């Protein structure tokens, strides 16, 4: 019995140490990015959000962050729309082949290395002449689609089939079932999926490196370009800003999750 | 009911075909027709031998690094998952959130952090004053191990979350039955806990290798050219040489390289009789 308790306690301690190890880079970047001194100091002597906001004083960093946020917003909304349509198809399509085809297509991007997809997008951009920012937005949306779809499917799996069938019997309209029952009940999951897609787009560097020039870079792309030449404290400020944006997304995501749990309770 | 959804279906399929299948199809078309056999390449242009050597070396390195990093992170992820899966719903939600954060911030944050940690006379120089061996930091700097540790840092959250999901899917009554039948805790853990997770372990390892291929910037920044992976050659072909045909060929090789662990894991799962 005592051995069991010791084993459980040890397992708990080791698990927390592993979680701590995972958080080290995050703590270092946020710490260095928020430190008021100009050098790379860790642990930070004094934390201040203003030091992270220095990144907005530089024109190229400001443009890069604005572009990242815009691409993130459009790509995440596109990802949620595609994932939602695919979920409806998988749920309601009578033909099993359609369902399998849709499921395979929507999950496929998760199994394609990002670098391979990036080369494909560069070739597509060259062939079609579509502006690079649009291709990047579509690319980020596709990268986020599998995980967004899975999140929406989690919500869909919790939706009782009997409720959907009863609504269809009562209204006789597919549109009413979707707009009055399915979509409102899945709203928190759309929110979660949207936040995840936004976080993916905000921090994804590879597609941007391939598609955009340094003159019209996203924030992660600019950080990598800068890293090649020198240690610029602004890179850490941008890292801290991106980290804080993702933390905000995560906290909002938790709010959605708690809302779902309360709703179900 | 589905007939009313015809427009949505067509739109979704069109978008996915254009945005997912389109680039990959163009990539294949770009690579295959012009892809000569290695023998013919060497016969016509011996100078390309170094390119083939480089590609082969990078491919082997990519397989090696991704397989190794994914395998190294598996035990830590398993231990963490077993420890965290016991938590209550609220604590588990918080832990999942904490693990999800580094998952999304992975490449940039990990590279920045490890560059700071390993920088000579940098932010972490104080470690030497509290007894941390300077020689250890010196040995890690630009080493393969440093990159592997950084990659493991990215893989652990993803693999832990996947293992937590698998553990939660497990039927706990099997463990109870085993203990009631008098089987020791250690034997139960080996046969039931780990035994049921075996197909998942193979799958999670394969996912880890796939993710590692996407993390090619980590070895490039932390270790340097001696650990250049195949995807970085693709980046050089596109960004520096503007040679899309070569990039497409390298991308095809990368696809094959990433398929190997997935197929291996699938074979293991089929042998174990689980879906994983």
């Amino acid at each position: 019995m005592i051995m069991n308790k010791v084993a459980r306690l040890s397992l708990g301690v080791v698990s927390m140490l592993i979680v701590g190890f995972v958080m080290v880079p995050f703590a270092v970047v946020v710490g260095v990015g928020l430190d008021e001194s100009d050098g790379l100091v860790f642990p930070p002597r004094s934390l201040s959000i203003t030091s992270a906001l220095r990144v907005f004083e530089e024109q190229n960093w400001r443009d890069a962050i604005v572009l990242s946020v815009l691409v993130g917003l459009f790509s995440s909304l596109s990802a949620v729309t595609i994932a939602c349509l695919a979920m409806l198809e998988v749920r309601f399509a009578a033909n099993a082949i359609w369902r399998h085809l849709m499921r395979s297509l929507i999950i496929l991007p998760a199994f394609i290395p990002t670098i391979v997809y990036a080369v494909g997008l560069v070739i597509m951009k060259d062939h079609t002449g579509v502006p690079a920012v649009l291709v990047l937005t579509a690319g980020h949306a596709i990268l986020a689609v599998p995980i967004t779809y899975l999140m929406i499917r989690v919500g869909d799996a919790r939706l009782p089939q009997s409720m959907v069938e009863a609504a269809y019997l009562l209204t006789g309209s597919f549109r009413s079932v979707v707009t009055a029952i399915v979509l409102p009940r899945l709203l928190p999951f759309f929110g979660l999926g949207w936040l995840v897609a936004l976080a993916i787009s905000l921090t994804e560097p590879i597609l941007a490196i391939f598609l955009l020039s340094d003159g019209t870079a996203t924030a992660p792309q600019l950080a990598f370009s800068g890293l090649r030449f020198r240690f610029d404290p602004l890179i850490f400020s941008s890292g801290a800003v991106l980290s804080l944006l993702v933390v905000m997304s995560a906290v909002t995501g938790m709010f959605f999750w708690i809302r779902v749990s309360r709703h179900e309770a | 009911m589905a007939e009313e959804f015809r427009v949505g279906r067509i739109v979704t399929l069109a978008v996915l075909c254009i945005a997912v299948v389109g680039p990959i199809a163009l990539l294949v078309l770009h690579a295959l027709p012009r892809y000569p056999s290695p023998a013919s390449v060497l016969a016509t242009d011996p100078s390309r031998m170094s390119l083939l050597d480089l590609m082969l070396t990078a491919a082997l390195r990519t397989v090696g690094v991704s397989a190794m990093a994914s395998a190294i992170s598996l035990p830590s992820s398993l231990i963490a998952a077993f420890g965290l899966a016991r938590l209550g719903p609220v604590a588990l939600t918080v832990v999942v959130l904490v693990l999800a954060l580094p998952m999304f911030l992975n490449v940039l944050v990990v590279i920045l952090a490890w560059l700071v940690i390993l920088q000579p006379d940098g932010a972490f120089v104080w470690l030497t004053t509290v007894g941390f061996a300077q020689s250890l930091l010196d040995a890690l700097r630009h080493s393969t191990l440093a990159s592997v540790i950084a990659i493991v840092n990215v893989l652990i959250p993803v693999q832990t979350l996947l293992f937590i999901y698998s553990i939660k899917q497990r039927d706990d009554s099997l463990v109870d039955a085993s203990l009631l039948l008098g089987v020791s805790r250690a034997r139960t853990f080996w046969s039931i806990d780990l035994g049921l997770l075996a197909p998942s372990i193979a799958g999670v390892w394969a996912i880890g290798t796939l993710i590692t291929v996407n993390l090619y910037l980590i070895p490039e920044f932390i270790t340097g050219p001696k650990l250049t992976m195949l995807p970085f050659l693709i980046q050089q072909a596109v960004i520096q040489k503007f040679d899309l045909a070569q990039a497409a060929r390298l991308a095809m090789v990368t696809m094959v390289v990433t398929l190997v662990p997935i197929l291996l894991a699938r074979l293991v799962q089929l042998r174990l009789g689980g879906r994983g």
Side-chain angles (χ1 to χ4, degrees), chain A residues 38-186:
Chain A
D38 284 335
L40 304 175
V41 182
F42 193 88
R45 287 172 195 144
S46 55
L47 290 172
S48 163
I49 191 75
T50 50
S51 47
L53 297 178
R54 277 182 306 197
V55 81
F56 290 100
E57 292 165 12
E58 295 271 338
Q59 179 74 39
N60 56 342
W61 278 105
R62 195 166 55 228
D63 292 347
I65 290 175
V66 168
L67 182 65
S68 287
V69 171
L70 283 176
V71 169
L73 283 175
F74 282 106
S75 64
S76 54
L77 287 173
S78 310
V80 170
T81 309
I82 297 167
C84 172
L85 288 170
M87 181 276 295
L88 289 174
E89 176 67 20
V90 171
R91 181 176 247 279
F92 293 112
N95 190 335
I97 296 172
W98 277 118
R99 286 204 299 270
H100 286 303
L101 178 68
M102 190 60 79
R103 246 195 306 250
S104 307
L105 271 177
I106 208 98
I107 296 296
L108 183 65
F111 293 95
I112 301 171
T114 310
I115 189 93
V116 174
Y117 186 54
V119 178
L121 285 181
V122 171
I123 296 171
M124 189 176 223
K125 186 195 81 173
D126 279 6
H127 274 70
T128 58
V130 178
V133 175
L134 274 184
V135 179
L136 177 69
T137 308
H140 278 184
I142 293 300
L143 286 188
V145 150
I147 195 160
T148 311
Y149 169 75
L150 289 176
M151 295 216 143
I152 295 174
R153 280 289 290 163
V154 169
D156 182 45
R158 293 169 175 224
L159 192 65
Q161 181 64 22
S162 54
M163 184 192 281
V164 178
E165 281 171 4
Y168 188 65
L169 283 173
L170 287 170
T171 61
S173 158
F174 171 74
R175 189 179 299 231
S176 306
V177 174
V178 170
T179 53
I181 303 286
V182 178
L183 295 185
R185 301 269 303 193
L186 295 184

Side-chain angles (χ1 to χ4, degrees), chain B residues 63-87:
Chain B
V63 173
V65 169
S66 55
M68 185 170 65
S70 186
I72 289 173
S73 62
L74 273 181
S76 311
S77 309
L78 255 179
I79 293 169
F82 273 117
L84 300 173
R86 295 166 186 272
L87 295 173

Side-chain angles (χ1 to χ4, degrees), chain A residues 4 8 11-12 14-16 18-19 21-26 28-29 32 40-43 82 84-86 88-90 92-95 98 101-102 105-106 108-117 119-124 126-128 138 142 145 147 164-165 168 172-175 177 196 199-200 203-206 209-211 219-220 223-225 227-228 231 235-236 238-239 242-243 246-247 250-251 253-254 257-258, chain B residues 1-5 8-9 11-13 15-24 26-27 30 75-84 86-87 93-95 97-117 119 122-126 149-150 152-153 156-157 160 185 207 210 213-217 220-221 230-232 234-236 238-239 244 247-248 250-252 254-255 258-259 262:
Chain A
N4 266 350
R8 279 189 182 191
L11 185 64
V14 174
S15 305
M16 286 305 158
I18 293 169
V19 174
F21 168 70
V22 164
M23 294 302 289
V24 166
F26 185 70
V28 170
V29 171
V32 172
L40 304 175
V41 182
F42 193 88
I82 297 167
C84 172
L85 288 170
L88 289 174
E89 176 67 20
V90 171
F92 293 112
N95 190 335
W98 277 118
L101 178 68
M102 190 60 79
L105 271 177
I106 208 98
L108 183 65
F111 293 95
I112 301 171
T114 310
I115 189 93
V116 174
Y117 186 54
V119 178
L121 285 181
V122 171
I123 296 171
M124 189 176 223
D126 279 6
H127 274 70
T128 58
I142 293 300
V145 150
I147 195 160
V164 178
E165 281 171 4
Y168 188 65
S173 158
F174 171 74
R175 189 179 299 231
V177 174
V196 169
I200 288 173
T203 54
E204 201 287 319
I206 298 173
I209 289 172
F210 272 70
L211 289 165
F224 278 112
S225 305
L227 270 180
R228 293 213 168 278
F231 253 152
I235 295 173
F236 285 85
S238 72
L242 285 175
S243 303
V246 174
V247 169
V251 172
M254 199 149 100
W257 191 254
I258 289 167
Chain B
M1 202 187 286
E3 288 311 304
E4 295 179 50
F5 190 57
R9 172 191 296 168
V11 169
T12 318
L13 273 179
V15 168
L16 289 174
C17 284
I18 292 168
V20 181
V21 182
I24 302 303
L26 278 173
L27 176 86
H30 222 76
S76 311
S77 309
L78 255 179
I79 293 169
F82 273 117
L84 300 173
R86 295 166 186 272
L87 295 173
T93 307
V94 173
V95 166
L97 180 81
V98 168
L99 285 174
L101 280 180
M103 199 168 85
F104 292 118
L105 293 168
N106 51 31
V107 188
L108 178 63
V109 167
V110 165
I111 291 174
L112 288 177
W114 280 92
L115 285 176
V116 171
I117 292 169
Q119 196 190 16
F124 273 71
V125 75
W126 56 270
I149 293 173
V152 165
N153 214 318
I156 285 177
T160 304
R185 189 72 194 86
I207 290 171
L210 186 62
V213 172
N214 287 334
L215 303 177
Y216 68 95
L217 288 169
E220 208 50 49
F221 277 100
L230 204 48
F232 193 72
I234 300 176
Q235 183 172 320
Q236 281 182 326
V238 175
I239 310 285
L244 281 181
L250 287 167
M252 294 299 292
T254 307
M255 278 290 274
T258 50
L259 274 178
I262 292 173

